[in-house]
């Protein structure tokens, strides 16, 4: 919690800065706040623990593995780049 409190302001400011920068906004699009977080975390020396099989993001065209319920803790459902207004 203390680390998050320290980097929250920078996270916001980096995200807004990326949004205001035309090329960054075009390249990063709807995930730019994730980049804002990554930059702020790096600035503050936040270390992240990699947990194998923590989450899966198989894509909308994929089939779920048989052991999915017991293998992953989170299903990261972000298919925004695979669909448009026409479906």
């Amino acid at each position: 919690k203390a680390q998050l409190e320290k980097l929250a302001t920078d996270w916001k400011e980096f995200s807004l800065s990326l949004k205001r920068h035309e090329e960054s906004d075009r390249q990063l699009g709807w995930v730019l706040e994730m980049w804002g977080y990554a930059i702020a975390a790096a600035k503050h020396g936040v270390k992240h623990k990699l947990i194998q099989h923590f989450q899966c993001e198989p894509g909308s065209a994929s089939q779920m593995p048989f052991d999915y319920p017991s293998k992953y803790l989170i299903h990261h459902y972000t298919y925004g780049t695979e669909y448009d207004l026409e479906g």
Side-chain angles (χ1 to χ4, degrees):
K1 182 177 176 181
Q3 286 181 323
L4 183 58
E5 287 175 348
K6 286 182 181 179
L7 70 88
T9 299
D10 285 330
W11 180 3
K12 176 185 150 193
E13 292 306 317
F14 284 130
S15 297
L16 290 173
S17 179
L18 290 167
K19 183 66 177 170
R20 290 183 196 115
H21 186 266
E22 188 175 318
E23 181 65 14
S24 297
D25 187 32
R26 187 177 66 73
Q27 290 288 328
L28 301 175
W30 64 278
V31 297
L32 64 81
E33 83 284 350
M34 293 182 210
W35 284 96
Y37 170 81
I39 296 166
K43 176 183 175 185
H44 290 274
V46 174
K47 303 290 183 192
H48 294 85
K49 182 178 180 181
L50 178 62
I51 302 172
Q52 192 165 1
H53 303 299
F54 179 73
Q55 77 174 33
C56 73
E57 185 174 356
S60 61
S62 300
Q63 291 186 356
M64 300 306 297
F66 177 75
D67 61 348
Y68 168 76
S70 63
K71 191 171 188 178
Y72 300 100
L73 299 173
I74 295 175
H75 182 105
H76 193 216
Y77 187 81
T78 55
Y79 301 139
T81 59
E82 296 181 17
Y83 295 104
D84 59 22
L85 292 176
E86 286 76 41

